[in-house]
């Protein structure tokens, strides 16, 4: 067997190992907890009791302030790293299809791209959890503004920030479509689940994915607006998106609906941990 084949085989075995799958379940639960906390912070923002920013950094800071927060953050971070590795193993799982032709190659490349994107998201969140556990957390909105300000100084940096915004808008639209078409059901294996559980899972996904898609769409729109106005302060991330929704007509109601939807997405993550199916 060639060196590449050995690496691919090892990655496949790692991705299918019970230990990594159990750690990935912890990561899925962690991902769900973060979304539930974001939903709670968004509700506080909507009804005048907001303290932490309504985004990932605020959620992790809220967790860090709890009596068992620091040990729990370490557990969540390790689980998220395992979840990222689980997704990375998917790239090797679909690697044999890269050299195929037609729909098979298109499917392999699409699944590999999604797995890489998810692995990056989970790793970024894992790093944030590690930083929160060690007291080194920072507002994600502030980080994004600093990053956008730096990118603006690059050649064509303004266009790059706008492109990133358009990509995030596209991801938001994809989440909405995924919820409407029930494509999220491909992420869970409900063959052993009772009918009542299947109905609950379907409702959670139908509510959760569009709500998260709306929030991501607003985040992307803020990045595009930052590029148009050449103002990195407008690239304020998820917390800025929540505040933008709040400032809209009937904003308090809209933000409340988005918060409940994000909570539904968090609950769906718990279901994925119970009935995992790779995507």
């Amino acid at each position: 067997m060639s060196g590449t084949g050995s690496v691919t085989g090892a990655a496949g075995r790692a991705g299918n190992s019970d230990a990594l799958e159990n750690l990935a379940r912890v990561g899925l639960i962690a991902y769900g907890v973060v979304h539930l906390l974001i939903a709670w912070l968004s509700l506080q923002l909507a009804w005048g009791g907001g303290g932490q920013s309504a985004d990932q950094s605020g959620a992790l800071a809220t967790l860090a302030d709890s009596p068992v927060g620091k040990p729990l953050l370490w557990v969540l971070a390790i689980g998220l790293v395992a979840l990222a590795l689980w997704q990375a193993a998917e790239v090797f799982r679909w690697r044999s299809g890269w050299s195929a032709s037609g729909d098979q190659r298109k499917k392999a490349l699409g699944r590999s791209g999604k797995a890489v994107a998810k692995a990056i998201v989970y790793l970024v969140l894992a790093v944030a959890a590690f930083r929160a556990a060690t007291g080194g957390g920072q507002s994600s909105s502030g980080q994004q503004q600093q990053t956008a300000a730096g990118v603006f100084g690059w050649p064509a940096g303004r266009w790059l920030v706008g492109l990133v915004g358009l990509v995030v808008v596209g991801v938001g639209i994809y989440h909405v479509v995924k919820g409407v078409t029930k494509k999220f059901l491909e992420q869970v294996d409900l063959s052993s689940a009772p009918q009542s559980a299947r109905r609950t899972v379907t409702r959670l996904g139908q509510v959760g994915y569009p709500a998260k898609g709306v929030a991501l769409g607003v985040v992307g729109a803020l990045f595009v607006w930052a590029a148009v106005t050449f103002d990195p302060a407008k690239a304020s991330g998820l917390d800025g998106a929540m505040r933008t929704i709040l400032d809209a007509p009937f904003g308090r109601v809209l933000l409340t609906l988005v918060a409940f939807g994000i909570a539904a997405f968090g609950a769906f993550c718990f279901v994925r941990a119970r009935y995992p199916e790779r995507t």
Side-chain angles (χ1 to χ4, degrees), residues 49-205:
Q52 297 284 1
S53 57
D55 57 12
Q56 294 90 335
S57 63
L60 295 174
T62 299
L63 202 57
D65 290 339
S66 68
V68 294
K70 295 296 176 67
L72 187 55
L73 281 169
W74 281 105
V75 173
L76 298 188
I78 292 169
L80 286 165
V81 169
L83 192 54
L85 292 174
W86 195 46
Q87 285 296 326
E90 284 293 276
V91 178
F92 291 98
R93 181 169 172 251
W94 288 100
R95 187 178 181 280
S96 60
W98 296 356
S99 57
S101 59
D103 290 341
Q104 185 178 353
R105 183 171 185 270
K106 182 180 178 181
K107 181 179 180 180
L109 290 174
R111 293 294 180 90
S112 297
K114 289 179 184 177
V116 169
K118 289 180 180 180
I120 292 172
V121 169
Y122 297 142
L123 275 179
V124 169
L125 193 54
V127 170
F130 278 126
R131 287 175 61 85
T134 57
Q138 179 184 354
S139 167
S140 60
S141 293
Q143 289 177 328
Q144 287 155 357
Q145 289 170 3
Q146 291 174 13
T147 301
V151 173
F152 273 139
W154 297 357
R158 184 177 186 178
W159 294 101
L160 183 57
V161 170
L163 179 60
V164 169
L166 290 175
V167 170
V168 175
V169 169
V171 173
I173 293 172
Y174 173 73
H175 273 71
V176 173
V177 172
K178 195 171 184 177
V180 172
T181 60
K182 303 180 185 178
K183 192 174 177 63
F184 56 85
L185 290 174
E186 296 176 2
Q187 297 179 301
V188 289
D189 180 6
L190 299 175
S191 57
S192 62
Q195 188 62 34
S196 58
R198 296 181 189 183
R199 285 195 298 268
T200 300
V201 171
T202 301
R203 297 295 177 266
L204 288 173

Side-chain angles (χ1 to χ4, degrees), residues 29-40:
I29 293 171
Y31 201 49
V33 168
V34 169
H35 281 82
L36 288 180
L37 288 171
I38 291 173
W40 171 243

Side-chain angles (χ1 to χ4, degrees), residues 169-262:
V169 169
V171 173
I173 293 172
Y174 173 73
H175 273 71
V176 173
V177 172
K178 195 171 184 177
V180 172
T181 60
K182 303 180 185 178
K183 192 174 177 63
F184 56 85
L185 290 174
E186 296 176 2
Q187 297 179 301
V188 289
D189 180 6
L190 299 175
S191 57
S192 62
Q195 188 62 34
S196 58
R198 296 181 189 183
R199 285 195 298 268
T200 300
V201 171
T202 301
R203 297 295 177 266
L204 288 173
Q206 285 178 309
V207 173
Y209 273 91
K212 184 171 182 180
V214 168
L216 288 173
V218 177
V219 171
L222 290 174
F223 270 78
V224 172
W225 186 238
V228 169
T229 59
F230 206 73
D231 182 1
K234 291 185 170 63
S236 51
L238 185 58
D239 182 63
M242 295 304 188
R243 295 178 190 276
T244 299
I245 293 172
L246 182 61
D247 290 338
F250 306 103
R252 181 173 288 184
V253 174
L254 290 175
L255 184 55
T256 299
L257 292 174
V258 170
F260 277 115
I262 290 175

